[in-house]
Amino acid sequence: MMKFSGPPPLEGLRRQIHRHRQGKASDGKGDFVRETYCLSRRDAREKARQWFDDFPKAAYWTEVESWRQVEGDRIEFTMRRLPTAD
Protein backbone atom coordinates (compact mmCIF):
# COMPACT_ATOMS: atom_id res chain seq x y z
CA MET A 1 0.00 0.00 0.00
CA MET A 2 1.28 3.46 -0.90
CA LYS A 3 1.55 6.09 1.80
CA PHE A 4 1.07 9.80 1.02
CA SER A 5 2.94 12.45 2.96
CA GLY A 6 0.41 15.25 2.53
CA PRO A 7 -2.52 16.47 0.50
CA PRO A 8 -2.61 15.51 -3.17
CA PRO A 9 -1.19 18.00 -5.68
CA LEU A 10 -3.92 20.22 -7.15
CA GLU A 11 -2.00 21.80 -10.04
CA GLY A 12 -3.80 19.66 -12.65
CA LEU A 13 -7.19 20.69 -11.30
CA ARG A 14 -6.11 24.36 -11.24
CA ARG A 15 -5.08 24.18 -14.92
CA GLN A 16 -8.37 22.53 -15.88
CA ILE A 17 -10.43 25.19 -14.06
CA HIS A 18 -8.35 27.96 -15.65
CA ARG A 19 -8.85 26.52 -19.17
CA HIS A 20 -12.59 26.19 -18.58
CA ARG A 21 -12.91 29.79 -17.38
CA GLN A 22 -10.84 31.09 -20.29
CA GLY A 23 -13.07 29.22 -22.75
CA LYS A 24 -16.25 30.69 -21.28
CA ALA A 25 -14.83 34.22 -21.24
CA SER A 26 -13.55 34.08 -24.81
CA ASP A 27 -16.81 32.96 -26.44
CA GLY A 28 -18.47 36.24 -25.41
CA LYS A 29 -21.91 34.63 -25.02
CA GLY A 30 -22.30 33.78 -21.38
CA ASP A 31 -25.31 31.86 -20.19
CA PHE A 32 -27.92 34.63 -20.47
CA VAL A 33 -28.91 37.45 -22.79
CA ARG A 34 -29.05 40.73 -20.85
CA GLU A 35 -30.26 44.18 -21.84
CA THR A 36 -30.25 47.28 -19.66
CA TYR A 37 -32.76 50.11 -20.07
CA CYS A 38 -33.35 53.49 -18.45
CA LEU A 39 -36.98 54.50 -19.01
CA SER A 40 -39.83 56.33 -17.34
CA ARG A 41 -41.74 54.17 -14.86
CA ARG A 42 -44.64 53.59 -17.28
CA ASP A 43 -42.34 52.77 -20.23
CA ALA A 44 -40.24 50.48 -18.02
CA ARG A 45 -43.32 48.45 -17.10
CA GLU A 46 -44.30 48.20 -20.77
CA LYS A 47 -40.80 47.08 -21.79
CA ALA A 48 -40.67 44.43 -19.05
CA ARG A 49 -44.16 43.19 -20.05
CA GLN A 50 -43.00 43.00 -23.68
CA TRP A 51 -40.03 40.82 -22.65
CA PHE A 52 -42.29 38.47 -20.68
CA ASP A 53 -44.73 38.27 -23.61
CA ASP A 54 -41.99 37.67 -26.22
CA PHE A 55 -39.92 35.32 -24.04
CA PRO A 56 -42.19 33.41 -21.61
CA LYS A 57 -40.62 32.86 -18.19
CA ALA A 58 -41.26 29.11 -18.24
CA ALA A 59 -39.23 28.60 -21.42
CA TYR A 60 -36.59 31.35 -21.26
CA TRP A 61 -36.23 31.95 -17.48
CA THR A 62 -36.99 35.60 -18.17
CA GLU A 63 -36.66 37.92 -15.20
CA VAL A 64 -35.89 41.46 -14.13
CA GLU A 65 -32.35 40.88 -12.93
CA SER A 66 -31.91 44.24 -11.20
CA TRP A 67 -33.52 47.64 -11.04
CA ARG A 68 -33.15 51.03 -9.36
CA GLN A 69 -34.88 54.37 -9.42
CA VAL A 70 -32.79 57.19 -10.85
CA GLU A 71 -33.47 60.92 -11.16
CA GLY A 72 -37.16 61.64 -10.96
CA ASP A 73 -39.50 58.99 -12.26
CA ARG A 74 -36.93 57.04 -14.31
CA ILE A 75 -36.12 53.38 -13.70
CA GLU A 76 -32.87 51.72 -14.74
CA PHE A 77 -33.29 47.97 -15.04
CA THR A 78 -31.68 44.91 -16.57
CA MET A 79 -33.74 42.16 -18.19
CA ARG A 80 -32.29 38.66 -18.43
CA ARG A 81 -33.30 35.55 -20.40
CA LEU A 82 -31.83 32.39 -21.88
CA PRO A 83 -30.73 32.73 -25.51
CA THR A 84 -33.01 29.89 -26.65
CA ALA A 85 -35.89 27.87 -25.26
CA ASP A 86 -34.32 24.44 -25.71
mmCIF file of all heavy atoms in Angstrom, residues 39-54 77 79:
data_model
loop_
_atom_site.group_PDB
_atom_site.id
_atom_site.type_symbol
_atom_site.label_atom_id
_atom_site.label_comp_id
_atom_site.label_asym_id
_atom_site.label_seq_id
_atom_site.Cartn_x
_atom_site.Cartn_y
_atom_site.Cartn_z
ATOM 1 N N LEU A 39 -35.730 53.988 -18.458
ATOM 2 C CA LEU A 39 -36.981 54.504 -19.006
ATOM 3 C C LEU A 39 -37.842 55.107 -17.898
ATOM 4 O O LEU A 39 -37.601 54.866 -16.715
ATOM 5 C CB LEU A 39 -37.760 53.365 -19.681
ATOM 6 C CG LEU A 39 -37.047 52.590 -20.790
ATOM 7 C CD1 LEU A 39 -37.820 51.331 -21.124
ATOM 8 C CD2 LEU A 39 -36.865 53.461 -22.012
ATOM 9 N N SER A 40 -38.864 55.842 -18.327
ATOM 10 C CA SER A 40 -39.835 56.326 -17.341
ATOM 11 C C SER A 40 -40.524 55.110 -16.721
ATOM 12 O O SER A 40 -40.518 54.023 -17.294
ATOM 13 C CB SER A 40 -40.864 57.235 -18.001
ATOM 14 O OG SER A 40 -41.697 56.475 -18.864
ATOM 15 N N ARG A 41 -41.117 55.287 -15.564
ATOM 16 C CA ARG A 41 -41.738 54.169 -14.856
ATOM 17 C C ARG A 41 -42.752 53.441 -15.743
ATOM 18 O O ARG A 41 -42.760 52.219 -15.842
ATOM 19 C CB ARG A 41 -42.405 54.670 -13.577
ATOM 20 C CG ARG A 41 -42.992 53.580 -12.716
ATOM 21 C CD ARG A 41 -43.619 54.129 -11.462
ATOM 22 N NE ARG A 41 -42.668 54.866 -10.653
ATOM 23 C CZ ARG A 41 -41.943 54.328 -9.671
ATOM 24 N NH1 ARG A 41 -42.076 53.046 -9.397
ATOM 25 N NH2 ARG A 41 -41.101 55.062 -8.970
ATOM 26 N N ARG A 42 -43.621 54.193 -16.430
ATOM 27 C CA ARG A 42 -44.640 53.585 -17.280
ATOM 28 C C ARG A 42 -43.997 52.819 -18.442
ATOM 29 O O ARG A 42 -44.368 51.673 -18.732
ATOM 30 C CB ARG A 42 -45.585 54.660 -17.810
ATOM 31 C CG ARG A 42 -46.849 54.065 -18.429
ATOM 32 C CD ARG A 42 -47.761 55.118 -19.017
ATOM 33 N NE ARG A 42 -47.384 55.219 -20.419
ATOM 34 C CZ ARG A 42 -47.197 56.354 -21.079
ATOM 35 N NH1 ARG A 42 -47.350 57.498 -20.491
ATOM 36 N NH2 ARG A 42 -46.870 56.339 -22.338
ATOM 37 N N ASP A 43 -43.008 53.438 -19.104
ATOM 38 C CA ASP A 43 -42.345 52.771 -20.227
ATOM 39 C C ASP A 43 -41.547 51.549 -19.763
ATOM 40 O O ASP A 43 -41.449 50.555 -20.492
ATOM 41 C CB ASP A 43 -41.430 53.748 -20.959
ATOM 42 C CG ASP A 43 -42.205 54.841 -21.682
ATOM 43 O OD1 ASP A 43 -43.421 54.652 -21.922
ATOM 44 O OD2 ASP A 43 -41.605 55.893 -21.989
ATOM 45 N N ALA A 44 -40.983 51.623 -18.558
ATOM 46 C CA ALA A 44 -40.237 50.483 -18.021
ATOM 47 C C ALA A 44 -41.162 49.288 -17.812
ATOM 48 O O ALA A 44 -40.817 48.152 -18.142
ATOM 49 C CB ALA A 44 -39.557 50.880 -16.711
ATOM 50 N N ARG A 45 -42.350 49.546 -17.279
ATOM 51 C CA ARG A 45 -43.318 48.454 -17.099
ATOM 52 C C ARG A 45 -43.719 47.850 -18.436
ATOM 53 O O ARG A 45 -43.829 46.628 -18.573
ATOM 54 C CB ARG A 45 -44.556 48.966 -16.377
ATOM 55 C CG ARG A 45 -44.348 49.170 -14.912
ATOM 56 C CD ARG A 45 -45.621 49.608 -14.239
ATOM 57 N NE ARG A 45 -45.396 49.767 -12.815
ATOM 58 C CZ ARG A 45 -46.141 50.492 -12.028
ATOM 59 N NH1 ARG A 45 -47.183 51.139 -12.515
ATOM 60 N NH2 ARG A 45 -45.864 50.587 -10.752
ATOM 61 N N GLU A 46 -43.932 48.703 -19.441
ATOM 62 C CA GLU A 46 -44.303 48.204 -20.768
ATOM 63 C C GLU A 46 -43.182 47.365 -21.378
ATOM 64 O O GLU A 46 -43.441 46.315 -21.976
ATOM 65 C CB GLU A 46 -44.656 49.373 -21.685
ATOM 66 C CG GLU A 46 -45.964 50.040 -21.344
ATOM 67 C CD GLU A 46 -46.244 51.261 -22.223
ATOM 68 O OE1 GLU A 46 -45.610 51.408 -23.285
ATOM 69 O OE2 GLU A 46 -47.104 52.077 -21.829
ATOM 70 N N LYS A 47 -41.939 47.822 -21.229
ATOM 71 C CA LYS A 47 -40.795 47.083 -21.790
ATOM 72 C C LYS A 47 -40.642 45.733 -21.096
ATOM 73 O O LYS A 47 -40.433 44.706 -21.744
ATOM 74 C CB LYS A 47 -39.516 47.905 -21.649
ATOM 75 C CG LYS A 47 -38.279 47.235 -22.197
ATOM 76 C CD LYS A 47 -38.397 46.850 -23.656
ATOM 77 C CE LYS A 47 -38.240 48.014 -24.574
ATOM 78 N NZ LYS A 47 -38.215 47.602 -25.997
ATOM 79 N N ALA A 48 -40.774 45.700 -19.781
ATOM 80 C CA ALA A 48 -40.673 44.429 -19.052
ATOM 81 C C ALA A 48 -41.802 43.486 -19.486
ATOM 82 O O ALA A 48 -41.579 42.298 -19.722
ATOM 83 C CB ALA A 48 -40.712 44.669 -17.550
ATOM 84 N N ARG A 49 -43.025 44.009 -19.611
ATOM 85 C CA ARG A 49 -44.157 43.193 -20.050
ATOM 86 C C ARG A 49 -43.903 42.632 -21.444
ATOM 87 O O ARG A 49 -44.193 41.472 -21.732
ATOM 88 C CB ARG A 49 -45.444 44.033 -20.012
ATOM 89 C CG ARG A 49 -46.685 43.343 -20.519
ATOM 90 C CD ARG A 49 -47.054 42.026 -19.869
ATOM 91 N NE ARG A 49 -46.926 42.019 -18.439
ATOM 92 C CZ ARG A 49 -46.616 40.934 -17.721
ATOM 93 N NH1 ARG A 49 -46.431 39.766 -18.301
ATOM 94 N NH2 ARG A 49 -46.510 40.996 -16.417
ATOM 95 N N GLN A 50 -43.316 43.450 -22.314
ATOM 96 C CA GLN A 50 -42.997 43.005 -23.681
ATOM 97 C C GLN A 50 -42.011 41.834 -23.637
ATOM 98 O O GLN A 50 -42.184 40.846 -24.356
ATOM 99 C CB GLN A 50 -42.399 44.159 -24.487
ATOM 100 C CG GLN A 50 -42.009 43.783 -25.890
ATOM 101 C CD GLN A 50 -41.288 44.927 -26.595
ATOM 102 O OE1 GLN A 50 -41.147 46.028 -26.058
ATOM 103 N NE2 GLN A 50 -40.825 44.670 -27.792
ATOM 104 N N TRP A 51 -40.996 41.922 -22.789
ATOM 105 C CA TRP A 51 -40.034 40.821 -22.655
ATOM 106 C C TRP A 51 -40.729 39.548 -22.187
ATOM 107 O O TRP A 51 -40.482 38.474 -22.717
ATOM 108 C CB TRP A 51 -38.944 41.203 -21.660
ATOM 109 C CG TRP A 51 -37.724 41.793 -22.299
ATOM 110 C CD1 TRP A 51 -37.641 42.965 -22.971
ATOM 111 C CD2 TRP A 51 -36.421 41.223 -22.324
ATOM 112 N NE1 TRP A 51 -36.369 43.168 -23.392
ATOM 113 C CE2 TRP A 51 -35.591 42.113 -23.005
ATOM 114 C CE3 TRP A 51 -35.870 40.056 -21.809
ATOM 115 C CZ2 TRP A 51 -34.244 41.868 -23.208
ATOM 116 C CZ3 TRP A 51 -34.528 39.817 -22.004
ATOM 117 C CH2 TRP A 51 -33.727 40.712 -22.702
ATOM 118 N N PHE A 52 -41.604 39.664 -21.182
ATOM 119 C CA PHE A 52 -42.292 38.471 -20.677
ATOM 120 C C PHE A 52 -43.261 37.896 -21.706
ATOM 121 O O PHE A 52 -43.468 36.686 -21.752
ATOM 122 C CB PHE A 52 -43.008 38.779 -19.365
ATOM 123 C CG PHE A 52 -42.069 38.896 -18.194
ATOM 124 C CD1 PHE A 52 -41.864 40.111 -17.575
ATOM 125 C CD2 PHE A 52 -41.397 37.781 -17.711
ATOM 126 C CE1 PHE A 52 -40.997 40.222 -16.495
ATOM 127 C CE2 PHE A 52 -40.523 37.875 -16.635
ATOM 128 C CZ PHE A 52 -40.324 39.107 -16.031
ATOM 129 N N ASP A 53 -43.852 38.760 -22.543
ATOM 130 C CA ASP A 53 -44.733 38.272 -23.609
ATOM 131 C C ASP A 53 -43.938 37.593 -24.718
ATOM 132 O O ASP A 53 -44.326 36.540 -25.227
ATOM 133 C CB ASP A 53 -45.563 39.418 -24.193
ATOM 134 C CG ASP A 53 -46.613 39.936 -23.222
ATOM 135 O OD1 ASP A 53 -46.935 39.231 -22.240
ATOM 136 O OD2 ASP A 53 -47.105 41.064 -23.447
ATOM 137 N N ASP A 54 -42.811 38.208 -25.120
ATOM 138 C CA ASP A 54 -41.994 37.672 -26.216
ATOM 139 C C ASP A 54 -41.191 36.438 -25.797
ATOM 140 O O ASP A 54 -40.937 35.552 -26.612
ATOM 141 C CB ASP A 54 -41.025 38.736 -26.737
ATOM 142 C CG ASP A 54 -41.732 39.887 -27.426
ATOM 143 O OD1 ASP A 54 -42.934 39.755 -27.749
ATOM 144 O OD2 ASP A 54 -41.075 40.931 -27.651
ATOM 145 N N PHE A 77 -33.103 49.383 -15.351
ATOM 146 C CA PHE A 77 -33.289 47.966 -15.045
ATOM 147 C C PHE A 77 -32.627 47.094 -16.092
ATOM 148 O O PHE A 77 -32.403 47.511 -17.221
ATOM 149 C CB PHE A 77 -34.780 47.624 -14.922
ATOM 150 C CG PHE A 77 -35.572 47.827 -16.181
ATOM 151 C CD1 PHE A 77 -35.945 46.747 -16.966
ATOM 152 C CD2 PHE A 77 -35.953 49.100 -16.588
ATOM 153 C CE1 PHE A 77 -36.692 46.925 -18.126
ATOM 154 C CE2 PHE A 77 -36.691 49.284 -17.736
ATOM 155 C CZ PHE A 77 -37.061 48.196 -18.508
ATOM 156 N N MET A 79 -32.935 43.351 -17.908
ATOM 157 C CA MET A 79 -33.735 42.157 -18.185
ATOM 158 C C MET A 79 -32.781 41.034 -18.569
ATOM 159 O O MET A 79 -31.766 41.265 -19.222
ATOM 160 C CB MET A 79 -34.715 42.411 -19.329
ATOM 161 C CG MET A 79 -35.776 43.450 -19.029
ATOM 162 S SD MET A 79 -36.896 43.004 -17.697
ATOM 163 C CE MET A 79 -37.664 41.510 -18.336
#
